[in-house]
Amino acid sequence: MQLQLASWPEVERYLETSKVVLIPIGSTEQHGPNGLIGTDAICPETIARGVGDEKGWLVGPTINFGIAQHHLGFPGTLALRPTTLLALVRDIVDSLAHHGFDRIYLLNGHGGNIATIQAAFAEVYTEHSLGRSGNSVSPRCRLRNWWSGTRVGELTRKLYGSADGSHATASEVALSYYAHPEAVKEVEMSPRVAPGGPIFDAVDYRRRFPDGRIGSDPSLATIEAGEKLYQAAVDDVADDLERFRAAE
Ligand SMILES: [Zn+2]
């Protein structure tokens, strides 16, 4: 069930039997010459909805923005400050806990968000520990990156090896193409595999990584591979979420 397509009585009935909710979180940022700017939001959103449909969990609206300052040298990127994302995540988690959700699972599509999401969880726990949250429920929160399961890891290595890279990866572009076949772009990469290196500010990033990719060859991305990655990710996340839900 998708929260945005549900009515409040449906959510109230859901809460009688389940306190689990999935929230996809991503970013709006450049993904190289053939990658979609919405890639980091599209991937977790598609996977979360797949898990929700398969297992009957509630899936909330996608947080489409993240920590993307280093991509601001490329048009289309929209970046939040860490303090903005922290406040946003904290308010959403607090709202969910207010309604009684106690297993809040953020499925993340952007590595740059990890530290800030964890900091937001720490804020939520701190307020509750100090008796100031105002919520009767103390929610357990989990952050999971869609690509970190064993099935996705094995499949990605098999499909792309080291050419998957670390930004505008072949695997994430493939998954976004599976979700949006109407947006597939045929672009030749030069060089085939992009350079690697560290990330600092936006000017430095564009100088090091002129077409936006890091270490990847996303021209290898296909809809067919994206479908396999999607199914692997749905299975990985469904297992991980079940362990999180059932844990003592
Ligand atoms: Zn990405």
Side-chain angles (χ1 to χ4, degrees):
M1 180 164 65
Q2 287 182 46
L3 183 63
Q4 283 174 300
L5 305 181
S7 64
W8 73 259
E10 287 174 320
V11 178
E12 196 166 74
R13 274 198 298 279
Y14 176 89
L15 278 163
E16 288 168 9
T17 56
S18 176
K19 307 282 194 270
V20 172
V21 61
L22 277 107
I23 306 288
I25 180 166
S27 183
T28 299
E29 63 181 48
Q30 70 82 17
H31 269 75
N34 72 337
L36 315 186
I37 287 180
T39 300
D40 285 355
I42 291 165
C43 292
E45 177 175 275
T46 306
I47 296 159
R49 288 180 182 175
V51 174
D53 288 349
E54 224 169 77
K55 303 292 182 185
W57 303 128
L58 183 67
V59 179
T62 303
I63 302 172
N64 279 297
F65 305 107
I67 307 302
Q69 63 79 20
H70 46 292
H71 296 297
L72 282 169
F74 300 86
T77 296
L78 310 176
L80 299 184
R81 288 177 175 79
T83 46
T84 311
L85 182 64
L86 192 155
L88 179 70
V89 170
R90 182 181 158 187
D91 284 354
I92 290 169
V93 170
D94 280 344
S95 299
L96 291 165
H98 172 75
H99 297 306
F101 290 97
D102 65 7
R103 292 291 184 280
I104 298 171
Y105 191 95
L106 267 71
L107 187 63
N108 180 41
H110 176 51
N113 289 344
I114 294 169
T116 306
I117 295 170
Q118 296 289 14
F121 291 169
E123 288 270 357
V124 169
Y125 296 142
T126 302
E127 287 300 288
H128 201 84
S129 296
L130 293 172
R132 295 200 306 226
S133 77
N135 285 330
S136 56
V137 167
S138 178
R140 290 187 188 178
C141 305
R142 179 156 172 79
L143 162 65
R144 178 76 171 181
N145 302 314
W146 72 259
W147 59 84
S148 50
T150 53
R151 294 177 185 87
V152 169
E154 279 168 24
L155 183 57
T156 299
R157 276 191 295 281
K158 199 174 96 187
L159 287 167
Y160 305 121
S162 64
D164 193 49
S166 60
H167 183 68
T169 64
S171 52
E172 66 179 342
V173 172
L175 211 154
S176 74
Y177 282 0
Y178 166 66
H180 287 282
E182 76 280 13
V184 170
K185 299 168 207 316
E186 298 289 342
V187 182
E188 277 201 19
M189 299 293 153
S190 175
R192 278 299 291 262
V193 176
I199 296 171
F200 300 104
D201 67 16
V203 171
D204 182 76
Y205 185 108
R206 182 139 186 178
R207 182 180 63 75
R208 286 176 195 274
F209 315 111
D211 71 3
R213 300 174 291 148
I214 305 179
S216 65
D217 177 6
S219 68
L220 301 169
T222 63
I223 294 169
E224 293 72 29
E227 184 171 10
K228 289 187 189 131
L229 286 157
Y230 164 77
Q231 197 53 59
V234 167
D235 293 345
D236 279 344
V237 171
D239 286 354
D240 185 66
L241 179 50
E242 179 52 28
R243 280 192 296 273
F244 173 61
R245 185 199 66 78
E248 276 286 307

Coordinates of all heavy atoms in Angstrom, one line a residue, residues 21-107:
V21 N 6.8 0.8 8.3 CA 6.6 1.7 7.2 C 8.0 1.9 6.5 O 9.0 1.9 7.1 CB 6.0 3.1 7.6 CG1 6.9 3.8 8.6 CG2 5.8 4.0 6.3
L22 N 8.0 1.8 5.2 CA 9.2 2.1 4.3 C 9.1 3.5 3.8 O 8.1 3.9 3.2 CB 9.2 1.1 3.1 CG 9.7 -0.3 3.3 CD1 8.5 -1.2 3.2 CD2 10.6 -0.6 2.1
I23 N 10.2 4.2 3.9 CA 10.3 5.5 3.2 C 11.6 5.5 2.3 O 12.7 5.4 2.7 CB 10.6 6.6 4.3 CG1 9.5 6.6 5.4 CG2 10.6 8.0 3.6 CD1 8.1 7.1 5.0
P24 N 11.3 5.6 1.0 CA 12.5 5.7 0.1 C 13.1 7.1 0.2 O 12.4 8.1 0.4 CB 11.8 5.6 -1.3 CG 10.4 5.1 -1.1 CD 10.0 5.6 0.3
I25 N 14.4 7.2 0.1 CA 15.1 8.5 0.2 C 16.2 8.5 -0.8 O 17.0 7.5 -0.9 CB 15.6 8.8 1.6 CG1 16.3 10.2 1.7 CG2 16.5 7.7 2.2 CD1 16.5 10.7 3.1
G26 N 16.3 9.6 -1.6 CA 17.3 9.7 -2.6 C 18.0 11.0 -2.8 O 18.3 11.7 -1.8
S27 N 18.1 11.5 -4.0 CA 18.7 12.8 -4.3 C 18.2 13.2 -5.7 O 17.8 12.4 -6.5 CB 20.2 12.6 -4.2 OG 20.8 13.9 -4.4
T28 N 18.4 14.5 -6.0 CA 18.1 15.0 -7.3 C 19.5 15.6 -7.8 O 19.9 16.7 -7.4 CB 17.0 16.1 -7.3 OG1 15.8 15.5 -6.8 CG2 16.8 16.7 -8.6
E29 N 20.2 14.8 -8.5 CA 21.6 15.2 -8.9 C 22.0 14.5 -10.2 O 21.6 13.5 -10.5 CB 22.5 14.8 -7.7 CG 22.6 13.3 -7.5 CD 23.5 12.8 -6.4 OE1 23.4 13.4 -5.3 OE2 24.3 11.9 -6.6
Q30 N 23.0 15.2 -10.8 CA 23.5 14.7 -12.1 C 24.0 13.2 -11.9 O 24.6 12.9 -10.9 CB 24.6 15.6 -12.6 CG 25.9 15.6 -11.8 CD 26.8 14.4 -12.2 OE1 26.7 13.8 -13.2 NE2 27.8 14.2 -11.3
H31 N 23.8 12.4 -13.0 CA 24.3 11.1 -13.0 C 25.0 10.8 -14.3 O 24.8 9.7 -14.9 CB 23.1 10.1 -12.7 CG 23.0 9.8 -11.3 ND1 22.4 10.7 -10.4 CD2 23.4 8.7 -10.5 CE1 22.5 10.1 -9.1 NE2 23.0 8.9 -9.2
G32 N 25.9 11.7 -14.7 CA 26.7 11.4 -15.9 C 25.9 11.7 -17.1 O 24.8 12.1 -17.1
P33 N 26.5 11.3 -18.3 CA 26.0 11.7 -19.6 C 24.7 11.0 -20.0 O 23.9 11.5 -20.8 CB 27.1 11.3 -20.6 CG 28.3 11.1 -19.8 CD 27.9 10.7 -18.4
N34 N 24.5 9.7 -19.4 CA 23.3 9.0 -19.8 C 22.4 8.7 -18.6 O 21.4 8.0 -18.8 CB 23.6 7.7 -20.6 CG 24.2 6.6 -19.7 OD1 24.8 7.0 -18.6 ND2 24.2 5.4 -20.1
G35 N 22.8 9.1 -17.4 CA 22.0 8.8 -16.2 C 21.0 9.8 -15.9 O 21.2 11.0 -16.2
L36 N 19.9 9.4 -15.3 CA 18.8 10.3 -15.0 C 19.1 11.1 -13.8 O 19.6 10.5 -12.8 CB 17.5 9.5 -14.9 CG 17.2 8.4 -15.9 CD1 15.8 7.8 -15.7 CD2 17.3 8.9 -17.3
I37 N 18.7 12.3 -13.7 CA 18.9 13.1 -12.6 C 18.2 12.6 -11.3 O 18.6 12.8 -10.2 CB 18.6 14.6 -12.9 CG1 19.7 15.1 -13.8 CG2 18.5 15.5 -11.6 CD1 19.6 16.6 -14.3
G38 N 17.1 11.9 -11.6 CA 16.3 11.3 -10.5 C 16.8 9.9 -10.0 O 16.1 9.3 -9.2
T39 N 17.9 9.4 -10.6 CA 18.3 8.0 -10.4 C 18.3 7.6 -8.9 O 17.7 6.6 -8.6 CB 19.8 7.8 -10.9 OG1 19.8 8.1 -12.3 CG2 20.2 6.4 -10.6
D40 N 18.8 8.4 -8.0 CA 19.0 8.0 -6.6 C 17.6 8.0 -5.9 O 17.6 7.3 -4.8 CB 19.9 9.0 -5.9 CG 21.4 8.7 -6.2 OD1 21.7 7.8 -7.0 OD2 22.2 9.5 -5.8
A41 N 16.6 8.7 -6.4 CA 15.3 8.6 -5.8 C 14.5 7.5 -6.5 O 13.7 6.7 -5.8 CB 14.6 9.9 -5.9
I42 N 14.7 7.4 -7.8 CA 13.9 6.4 -8.6 C 14.2 5.0 -8.1 O 13.3 4.1 -8.0 CB 14.2 6.6 -10.1 CG1 13.6 7.9 -10.6 CG2 13.7 5.4 -10.9 CD1 14.1 8.3 -12.0
C43 N 15.5 4.7 -7.9 CA 15.9 3.3 -7.5 C 15.2 2.8 -6.2 O 14.5 1.8 -6.2 CB 17.4 3.1 -7.5 SG 18.2 3.3 -9.2
P44 N 15.4 3.6 -5.1 CA 14.8 3.1 -3.9 C 13.3 3.1 -3.9 O 12.6 2.3 -3.3 CB 15.4 4.0 -2.8 CG 15.9 5.2 -3.5 CD 16.3 4.8 -4.9
E45 N 12.7 4.1 -4.6 CA 11.3 4.2 -4.7 C 10.7 2.9 -5.4 O 9.7 2.3 -5.0 CB 10.9 5.4 -5.5 CG 9.4 5.6 -5.7 CD 9.1 7.0 -6.4 OE1 9.0 8.0 -5.7 OE2 9.0 7.0 -7.7
T46 N 11.3 2.6 -6.5 CA 10.9 1.4 -7.3 C 11.0 0.1 -6.5 O 10.0 -0.7 -6.5 CB 11.7 1.3 -8.6 OG1 11.6 2.5 -9.3 CG2 11.1 0.2 -9.5
I47 N 12.1 0.0 -5.8 CA 12.3 -1.2 -5.0 C 11.4 -1.2 -3.8 O 10.8 -2.3 -3.5 CB 13.8 -1.3 -4.5 CG1 14.7 -1.4 -5.7 CG2 14.0 -2.4 -3.5 CD1 16.2 -0.9 -5.4
A48 N 11.2 -0.1 -3.1 CA 10.3 -0.1 -1.9 C 8.9 -0.4 -2.3 O 8.2 -1.1 -1.6 CB 10.4 1.3 -1.3
R49 N 8.5 0.1 -3.5 CA 7.1 -0.2 -3.9 C 7.0 -1.7 -4.3 O 5.9 -2.3 -4.0 CB 6.7 0.7 -5.1 CG 6.4 2.1 -4.7 CD 6.1 3.0 -5.8 NE 5.9 4.4 -5.4 CZ 5.6 5.4 -6.1 NH1 5.6 5.2 -7.5 NH2 5.5 6.6 -5.6
G50 N 8.0 -2.3 -4.8 CA 8.0 -3.7 -5.1 C 7.9 -4.5 -3.8 O 7.1 -5.5 -3.7
V51 N 8.7 -4.1 -2.8 CA 8.6 -4.8 -1.5 C 7.3 -4.6 -0.9 O 6.7 -5.6 -0.4 CB 9.7 -4.3 -0.6 CG1 9.6 -4.9 0.8 CG2 11.1 -4.6 -1.1
G52 N 6.8 -3.4 -1.0 CA 5.4 -3.1 -0.4 C 4.3 -3.9 -1.0 O 3.5 -4.5 -0.3
D53 N 4.4 -4.1 -2.3 CA 3.4 -4.8 -3.1 C 3.5 -6.3 -2.7 O 2.5 -7.0 -2.5 CB 3.5 -4.7 -4.6 CG 3.1 -3.3 -5.1 OD1 2.5 -2.5 -4.3 OD2 3.4 -2.9 -6.2
E54 N 4.7 -6.8 -2.6 CA 4.9 -8.2 -2.4 C 4.6 -8.6 -1.0 O 4.0 -9.7 -0.8 CB 6.4 -8.6 -2.7 CG 6.6 -9.9 -3.5 CD 8.0 -10.0 -4.0 OE1 8.8 -10.4 -3.1 OE2 8.3 -9.8 -5.2
K55 N 4.9 -7.8 0.0 CA 4.8 -8.2 1.4 C 3.7 -7.5 2.1 O 3.4 -7.7 3.3 CB 6.1 -7.9 2.1 CG 7.3 -8.6 1.5 CD 7.2 -10.1 1.7 CE 8.4 -10.8 1.1 NZ 8.3 -12.3 1.2
G56 N 3.0 -6.5 1.5 CA 1.9 -5.8 2.1 C 2.3 -4.7 3.0 O 1.5 -4.2 3.8
W57 N 3.6 -4.2 3.0 CA 4.0 -3.1 3.8 C 3.5 -1.8 3.3 O 3.4 -1.6 2.0 CB 5.5 -3.1 4.0 CG 6.1 -4.3 4.6 CD1 7.1 -5.0 4.0 CD2 5.7 -5.0 5.8 NE1 7.5 -6.1 4.8 CE2 6.6 -6.1 5.9 CE3 4.8 -4.8 6.7 CZ2 6.5 -7.0 6.9 CZ3 4.7 -5.7 7.8 CH2 5.6 -6.8 7.9
L58 N 3.4 -0.8 4.2 CA 3.1 0.6 3.8 C 4.3 1.3 3.3 O 5.4 1.2 3.9 CB 2.5 1.3 5.0 CG 2.0 2.8 4.7 CD1 0.8 2.8 3.7 CD2 1.7 3.5 6.0
V59 N 4.2 2.0 2.1 CA 5.4 2.7 1.6 C 5.0 4.2 1.5 O 4.0 4.6 0.9 CB 5.7 2.2 0.2 CG1 6.9 3.0 -0.4 CG2 6.1 0.7 0.2
G60 N 5.8 5.0 2.2 CA 5.6 6.4 2.2 C 6.1 7.1 1.0 O 6.7 6.5 0.1
P61 N 5.8 8.4 0.8 CA 6.3 9.2 -0.3 C 7.8 9.3 -0.3 O 8.4 9.2 0.8 CB 5.7 10.6 -0.1 CG 5.3 10.6 1.3 CD 5.0 9.2 1.8
T62 N 8.4 9.4 -1.4 CA 9.9 9.4 -1.5 C 10.4 10.8 -1.1 O 9.9 11.8 -1.5 CB 10.3 9.1 -3.0 OG1 9.8 7.8 -3.3 CG2 11.8 9.1 -3.2
I63 N 11.5 10.8 -0.3 CA 12.2 12.0 -0.1 C 13.2 12.2 -1.2 O 14.2 11.4 -1.4 CB 13.0 11.9 1.3 CG1 12.0 11.7 2.4 CG2 13.8 13.2 1.5 CD1 12.7 11.4 3.8
N64 N 12.9 13.1 -2.1 CA 13.6 13.2 -3.4 C 14.9 14.0 -3.4 O 15.6 14.0 -4.4 CB 12.7 13.9 -4.4 CG 11.7 12.9 -5.0 OD1 12.1 11.9 -5.7 ND2 10.4 13.1 -4.7
F65 N 15.2 14.6 -2.2 CA 16.3 15.5 -2.2 C 17.3 15.0 -1.1 O 16.9 14.5 -0.1 CB 15.9 17.0 -1.8 CG 14.9 17.5 -2.8 CD1 13.6 17.7 -2.4 CD2 15.2 17.8 -4.1 CE1 12.6 18.1 -3.3 CE2 14.3 18.3 -5.0 CZ 12.9 18.5 -4.6
G66 N 18.6 15.3 -1.4 CA 19.6 14.8 -0.5 C 20.8 15.7 -0.5 O 20.8 16.9 -0.9
I67 N 21.9 15.2 0.0 CA 23.2 15.9 0.2 C 24.0 15.8 -1.1 O 24.6 14.8 -1.4 CB 24.1 15.3 1.3 CG1 23.2 15.2 2.6 CG2 25.3 16.1 1.5 CD1 22.7 16.5 3.1
A68 N 23.9 16.9 -1.9 CA 24.4 16.8 -3.3 C 25.2 18.0 -3.7 O 25.4 18.3 -4.9 CB 23.2 16.6 -4.3
Q69 N 25.8 18.7 -2.7 CA 26.5 20.0 -3.0 C 27.6 19.8 -4.1 O 27.8 20.6 -4.9 CB 27.0 20.7 -1.8 CG 28.1 19.9 -1.0 CD 29.5 19.9 -1.5 OE1 29.8 20.8 -2.3 NE2 30.3 18.9 -1.2
H70 N 28.3 18.6 -4.0 CA 29.4 18.3 -4.9 C 29.0 18.2 -6.4 O 29.8 18.1 -7.3 CB 30.2 17.1 -4.4 CG 29.4 15.9 -4.1 ND1 28.5 15.9 -3.0 CD2 29.2 14.7 -4.6 CE1 27.9 14.7 -2.9 NE2 28.3 14.0 -3.9
H71 N 27.7 18.0 -6.6 CA 27.2 17.9 -8.0 C 26.6 19.2 -8.5 O 26.1 19.2 -9.6 CB 26.1 16.8 -8.0 CG 26.6 15.4 -7.7 ND1 27.5 14.8 -8.5 CD2 26.3 14.6 -6.7 CE1 27.8 13.6 -7.9 NE2 27.0 13.4 -6.9
L72 N 26.8 20.3 -7.8 CA 26.2 21.6 -8.2 C 26.9 22.2 -9.4 O 26.4 23.1 -10.0 CB 26.1 22.6 -7.0 CG 25.0 22.3 -6.0 CD1 25.2 23.2 -4.8 CD2 23.6 22.6 -6.6
G73 N 28.0 21.6 -9.8 CA 28.7 22.1 -11.0 C 28.0 21.6 -12.3 O 28.4 22.0 -13.4
F74 N 26.9 20.8 -12.1 CA 26.2 20.3 -13.3 C 24.7 20.8 -13.2 O 24.1 20.6 -12.1 CB 26.2 18.8 -13.3 CG 27.6 18.2 -13.4 CD1 28.4 18.0 -12.2 CD2 28.2 17.9 -14.6 CE1 29.7 17.5 -12.3 CE2 29.5 17.4 -14.7 CZ 30.2 17.2 -13.5
P75 N 24.2 21.3 -14.3 CA 22.8 21.8 -14.2 C 21.8 20.7 -13.9 O 21.9 19.6 -14.4 CB 22.6 22.4 -15.6 CG 23.7 21.9 -16.5 CD 24.8 21.5 -15.6
G76 N 20.8 21.1 -13.1 CA 19.8 20.1 -12.7 C 19.9 19.6 -11.3 O 18.9 19.2 -10.7
T77 N 21.1 19.7 -10.8 CA 21.3 19.2 -9.4 C 20.6 20.1 -8.4 O 20.8 21.4 -8.5 CB 22.8 19.1 -9.1 OG1 23.4 18.1 -10.0 CG2 23.1 18.8 -7.7
L78 N 19.9 19.6 -7.5 CA 19.3 20.4 -6.4 C 19.8 19.8 -5.1 O 19.6 18.6 -4.8 CB 17.8 20.3 -6.5 CG 17.1 20.6 -7.8 CD1 15.6 20.3 -7.8 CD2 17.4 22.0 -8.3
A79 N 20.5 20.6 -4.3 CA 21.2 20.1 -3.1 C 20.6 20.7 -1.8 O 20.2 21.8 -1.7 CB 22.6 20.5 -3.1
L80 N 20.5 19.8 -0.8 CA 20.1 20.2 0.6 C 21.4 20.4 1.4 O 22.3 19.6 1.3 CB 19.2 19.2 1.2 CG 17.8 18.9 0.6 CD1 17.1 17.9 1.5 CD2 17.0 20.1 0.4
R81 N 21.3 21.3 2.3 CA 22.3 21.3 3.4 C 22.1 20.2 4.3 O 20.9 19.7 4.5 CB 22.3 22.6 4.2 CG 22.7 23.8 3.5 CD 22.5 25.1 4.4 NE 23.1 26.3 3.7 CZ 22.5 26.9 2.7 NH1 21.3 26.5 2.3 NH2 23.1 28.0 2.2
P82 N 23.1 19.6 5.0 CA 22.9 18.6 5.9 C 21.9 18.9 7.0 O 21.0 18.1 7.4 CB 24.3 18.3 6.6 CG 25.2 18.7 5.5 CD 24.6 19.9 4.7
T83 N 21.9 20.2 7.5 CA 21.0 20.5 8.6 C 19.5 20.5 8.0 O 18.6 20.2 8.8 CB 21.3 22.0 9.1 OG1 21.5 22.8 8.0 CG2 22.5 22.0 10.0
T84 N 19.3 20.8 6.7 CA 18.0 20.8 6.2 C 17.5 19.3 6.1 O 16.4 19.0 6.5 CB 18.0 21.4 4.7 OG1 18.7 22.6 4.8 CG2 16.6 21.5 4.2
L85 N 18.3 18.4 5.6 CA 17.9 17.0 5.5 C 17.7 16.4 6.9 O 16.7 15.7 7.1 CB 19.0 16.2 4.7 CG 18.6 14.7 4.5 CD1 17.3 14.6 3.6 CD2 19.7 14.0 3.8
L86 N 18.6 16.8 7.8 CA 18.4 16.3 9.2 C 17.1 16.6 9.7 O 16.3 15.8 10.3 CB 19.6 16.8 10.0 CG 19.8 16.1 11.4 CD1 21.2 16.3 11.9 CD2 18.8 16.7 12.4
A87 N 16.7 17.9 9.6 CA 15.4 18.4 10.1 C 14.2 17.7 9.4 O 13.2 17.3 10.0 CB 15.3 19.9 10.0
L88 N 14.4 17.5 8.1 CA 13.3 16.9 7.3 C 13.1 15.4 7.8 O 11.9 15.0 8.0 CB 13.7 16.9 5.8 CG 12.8 16.3 4.8 CD1 11.5 17.1 4.7 CD2 13.4 16.2 3.4
V89 N 14.2 14.7 7.9 CA 14.1 13.3 8.2 C 13.5 13.2 9.7 O 12.6 12.4 9.9 CB 15.4 12.5 8.1 CG1 15.4 11.2 8.7 CG2 15.8 12.5 6.6
R90 N 14.0 14.0 10.5 CA 13.6 14.0 11.9 C 12.1 14.3 12.0 O 11.3 13.6 12.7 CB 14.4 15.0 12.7 CG 14.0 15.0 14.2 CD 14.8 16.1 14.9 NE 14.0 16.4 16.1 CZ 14.4 17.4 17.0 NH1 15.4 18.1 16.7 NH2 13.7 17.6 18.0
D91 N 11.6 15.3 11.3 CA 10.1 15.6 11.4 C 9.3 14.5 10.8 O 8.2 14.2 11.3 CB 9.9 16.9 10.6 CG 10.3 18.1 11.3 OD1 10.7 18.0 12.5 OD2 10.2 19.2 10.8
I92 N 9.8 13.8 9.7 CA 9.0 12.7 9.1 C 9.0 11.5 10.1 O 7.9 10.9 10.3 CB 9.6 12.3 7.8 CG1 9.3 13.5 6.8 CG2 9.0 11.0 7.3 CD1 10.0 13.3 5.5
V93 N 10.1 11.2 10.7 CA 10.1 10.1 11.6 C 9.3 10.4 12.9 O 8.5 9.5 13.3 CB 11.6 9.8 12.1 CG1 11.6 8.8 13.2 CG2 12.4 9.2 10.9
D94 N 9.3 11.6 13.4 CA 8.5 12.0 14.5 C 7.0 11.9 14.2 O 6.2 11.5 15.0 CB 8.9 13.4 15.0 CG 10.1 13.4 15.9 OD1 10.5 12.4 16.4 OD2 10.7 14.5 16.1
S95 N 6.7 12.3 13.0 CA 5.2 12.3 12.6 C 4.8 10.8 12.5 O 3.7 10.5 12.9 CB 5.1 12.9 11.2 OG 5.4 14.3 11.2
L96 N 5.6 10.0 11.9 CA 5.3 8.5 11.8 C 5.1 7.9 13.2 O 4.2 7.2 13.5 CB 6.3 7.8 11.0 CG 6.3 8.1 9.5 CD1 7.6 7.6 8.9 CD2 5.1 7.5 8.8
A97 N 6.1 8.2 14.1 CA 6.0 7.7 15.5 C 4.7 8.3 16.2 O 4.1 7.5 17.0 CB 7.2 8.1 16.3
H98 N 4.4 9.5 15.9 CA 3.2 10.1 16.5 C 1.9 9.2 16.2 O 1.0 9.1 17.0 CB 3.0 11.5 15.9 CG 1.7 12.2 16.3 ND1 1.5 12.7 17.5 CD2 0.6 12.4 15.6 CE1 0.3 13.2 17.6 NE2 -0.3 13.1 16.4
H99 N 1.9 8.7 15.0 CA 0.8 7.8 14.6 C 0.9 6.4 15.1 O 0.0 5.6 14.9 CB 0.6 7.8 13.1 CG 0.3 9.2 12.5 ND1 -0.7 9.9 13.0 CD2 0.9 9.9 11.6 CE1 -0.7 11.1 12.3 NE2 0.3 11.1 11.5
G100 N 2.1 6.0 15.7 CA 2.2 4.7 16.2 C 3.1 3.8 15.4 O 3.3 2.6 15.8
F101 N 3.7 4.3 14.4 CA 4.7 3.4 13.6 C 5.9 3.3 14.5 O 6.5 4.3 15.0 CB 5.1 4.1 12.3 CG 3.9 4.0 11.3 CD1 3.1 5.1 11.1 CD2 3.7 2.9 10.5 CE1 2.1 5.1 10.2 CE2 2.6 2.9 9.6 CZ 1.8 4.0 9.5
D102 N 6.4 2.0 14.7 CA 7.6 1.8 15.5 C 8.7 1.1 14.8 O 9.7 0.8 15.4 CB 7.2 1.1 16.8 CG 6.7 -0.3 16.6 OD1 6.7 -0.8 15.4 OD2 6.3 -0.9 17.6
R103 N 8.5 0.8 13.5 CA 9.6 0.2 12.7 C 9.7 1.1 11.4 O 8.9 0.9 10.5 CB 9.3 -1.3 12.3 CG 9.4 -2.2 13.5 CD 10.8 -2.4 14.0 NE 10.8 -3.4 15.1 CZ 10.5 -3.2 16.4 NH1 10.0 -2.0 16.7 NH2 10.6 -4.2 17.3
I104 N 10.6 2.0 11.4 CA 10.7 3.0 10.3 C 11.9 2.7 9.5 O 13.1 2.8 10.0 CB 10.7 4.4 10.9 CG1 9.3 4.6 11.6 CG2 10.9 5.4 9.8 CD1 9.2 5.9 12.5
Y105 N 11.7 2.3 8.3 CA 12.8 1.7 7.4 C 13.1 2.7 6.3 O 12.2 2.8 5.4 CB 12.3 0.4 6.9 CG 13.4 -0.5 6.3 CD1 14.0 -1.5 7.0 CD2 13.6 -0.4 4.9 CE1 15.0 -2.3 6.4 CE2 14.6 -1.2 4.3 CZ 15.2 -2.2 5.0 OH 16.1 -3.0 4.4
L106 N 14.2 3.3 6.3 CA 14.5 4.3 5.2 C 15.4 3.5 4.2 O 16.5 3.1 4.5 CB 15.3 5.5 5.7 CG 14.3 6.7 6.0 CD1 13.5 6.4 7.3 CD2 15.1 8.0 6.2
L107 N 14.8 3.4 3.0 CA 15.6 2.7 1.9 C 16.3 3.8 1.1 O 15.6 4.6 0.4 CB 14.7 1.9 1.0 CG 15.4 1.0 0.0 CD1 16.3 0.0 0.7 CD2 14.4 0.3 -0.9

